[in-house]
Amino acid sequence: QVQLQESGGGSVQAGGSLRLSCTVSGFTSTKNLMAWFRQAPGKEREGVAAIYTNGGDTWYANAAKGRFTIAHDNAKKTLYLQMGSLKPEDTAIYYCAAPLHEGVAGSLLDPDEYTYWGPGTQVTVSS
């Protein structure tokens, strides 16, 4: 059974940092592509960052560039999102996700391209 489980969310003040983790189990092999998404109240789910786990290539949404870093530990089968210089507008539920196949046909940060999702972890940034 495939399972993705996020952790590390919480409440921080603006300017603070958090590191999110996503443990992965149930896949027969390490997923080649994984990503982080977020959804704020009343808004659509949006892509934050994606990574090709074999080569380490990364992609970021404009809102995340320069502040967030995505990483993957193949040995631990864990995906990370290091978030810094947090802003109130970063407040959202953060999800990790993996596609059904080894890659996606469209945008790496399009949630519709992803099949497997964790339940999410809440991040709240206060001003």
Side-chain angles (χ1 to χ4, degrees), residues 67-84:
R67 299 189 300 125
F68 295 1
T69 302
I70 187 172
H72 184 267
D73 186 323
N74 288 342
K76 295 182 178 179
K77 295 184 179 180
T78 301
L79 180 71
Y80 301 98
L81 185 68
Q82 179 69 48
M83 305 187 294

Side-chain angles (χ1 to χ4, degrees), residues 87-109:
K87 305 174 183 179
E89 50 263 45
D90 294 319
T91 295
I93 299 174
Y94 283 71
Y95 302 88
C96 61
L100 179 63
H101 301 298
E102 292 305 309
V104 299
S107 169
L108 292 173
L109 298 180

